[in-house]
Amino acid sequence: MNKVVLAYSGGLDTSIIVKWLQDTYQCEVVTFTADVGQGEEVEPARAKAKAAGVKEIYIEDLREEFATDFVFPMFRANTIYEGEYLLGTSIARPLISKRLVEIANQVNADAISHGATGKGNDQVRFELNAYALDANIQVIAPWREWDLSSRESLMDYAEKHGIEIDYQKQDKKSPYSMDANLLHISYEGDILEDPWAEPEDDMWRWTVSPEDAPDKAEYVELTYKKGDIVAINGKAMSPASVMEDLNKRAGAHGIGRDDIVENRFVGMKSRGCYETPAGTVMLKAHRAMESLTLDREAAHLKDELMPKYANMVYNGFWFAPEREMLQAAIDQTQEVVNGEVRLKFYKGNVIVVGRKSDNSLFNEKIATFEDDEGAYDQKDAAGFIKLNALRLRLKSLK
């Protein structure tokens, strides 16, 4: 290997990987740091990379691309994995993989590298998405090669080789493994490895405890166009701005915390905690908008297909033809998902209190409990019921 492009955060794992790649492969390392809305400065990664002897450093603001081309399409499908996980980590990986491959081709690198462990899902996501874009790409996954077996051993390696880690001077305790972007922040490790242990309250960064949330509710109106939020309280916003705004508003009301034991693609169960304020709001509001505008059978078919779509995102098949096929079908349904949804944020809850649309299929004249002036003949229901009951009646005669 002469040159390797590394997905680089400047944190513990990737700081060590730079040195390890240089020593193990005697290669030049190119670092790529993606700003996908993690809420922290990414520029410090430049100084760390330079200190490690890196000459080619890529730091890119991908927030709008992330929100527009990855998060928003996923939410048009109302995607949720195993009934709880809003796929915050999963959906960021295809974008990072895409840029890794593009940069590798641009700088004539021999391989790409990442800091995902051999136990996790991210190794699969990074590599499947990379191979989908470049069949000949070479991948170096240090966690599958080196003899460093724990976060404590990484910290010892950093100390031995003079690699400065942000928390190193403050505490020798191994931290939570965290991942953040516009959609969520995740926490794994430490006491969370015991599924019975309650998370420490000071672990959470984006949301207040629901008990400490304001006693007064906040009302928010979201405007939808073709299944995407385009404005908040009448103010037009870009996809990334929408998510940043909702993260702040919902987080302040204790919305978006989740504690999950999930089934990883590699086979094991894993316990993680997630903060997804904007995503929690987006899922609730989008379903409310669809409830008013989508035909019943189209909506039900979407619900049947959604778990398959969620598995594709979770398992790393974003660029697979089956996901693209499903996306085309989903996007076609969204042509009519236009209008406004009014929400109430209160003490950890997102409550839908109103929805309206020019594409509404709700007919008050037919649905009313009052006199409908002949819009619906209730006698028609008798034949409908008898036809649907025919097979049941025949079975009961046996």
Side-chain angles (χ1 to χ4, degrees), residues 241-260:
S241 297
V242 163
M243 295 181 68
E244 288 169 350
D245 185 282
L246 290 178
N247 274 329
K248 292 177 182 177
R249 290 178 188 271
H253 289 274
I255 293 166
R257 292 185 179 185
D258 216 343
D259 185 336
I260 302 169

Side-chain angles (χ1 to χ4, degrees), residues 330-347:
I330 290 162
D331 290 351
Q332 193 279 330
T333 69
Q334 300 300 289
E335 292 292 322
V336 296
V337 184
N338 308 301
E340 287 82 44
V341 177
R342 188 167 71 249
L343 306 166
K344 180 164 70 173
F345 296 168
Y346 184 69
K347 298 280 186 188

Side-chain angles (χ1 to χ4, degrees), residues 220-225 230-231 233-234 285 288-290 292-293 337-343 352-358:
V220 178
E221 292 187 8
L222 304 181
T223 302
Y224 277 87
K225 184 176 181 180
V230 295
N233 293 336
M289 195 76 268
E290 285 192 329
L292 197 63
T293 58
V337 184
N338 308 301
E340 287 82 44
V341 177
R342 188 167 71 249
L343 306 166
V352 177
V353 294
R355 70 287 275 164
K356 63 181 180 179
S357 172
D358 291 339

Side-chain angles (χ1 to χ4, degrees), residues 45-46 90 135 200 211 240 308 345 370:
R46 188 185 305 277
S90 313
E200 299 163 321
E211 295 94 331
K308 294 183 179 293
F345 296 168
E370 306 303 327

Side-chain angles (χ1 to χ4, degrees), residues 2 42-44 64 89 92 110 132 155 208-209 230 245 253 266 280 283 306 358 360 369 394:
N2 295 311
V42 293
E43 273 300 321
E64 286 296 348
T89 296
D110 303 290
M155 293 169 68
V208 302
S209 171
V230 295
D245 185 282
H253 289 274
V266 295
T280 302
L283 179 64
M306 184 277 289
D358 291 339
S360 174
F369 282 98
L394 290 173

Side-chain angles (χ1 to χ4, degrees), residues 14-26:
T14 56
S15 293
I16 287 170
I17 289 172
V18 171
K19 174 66 174 172
W20 183 85
L21 286 171
Q22 292 167 339
D23 290 349
T24 303
Y25 287 94
Q26 298 296 303

Side-chain angles (χ1 to χ4, degrees), residues 1 3-6 17 20-21 25 27 110-115 127 138-145:
M1 296 290 172
K3 185 181 288 189
V4 177
V5 181
L6 169 66
I17 289 172
W20 183 85
L21 286 171
Y25 287 94
C27 65
D110 303 290
I112 61 173
S113 182
H114 60 75
E127 295 175 39
Q138 298 295 309
V139 181
I140 298 174
W143 272 99
R144 301 201 299 257
E145 296 184 31

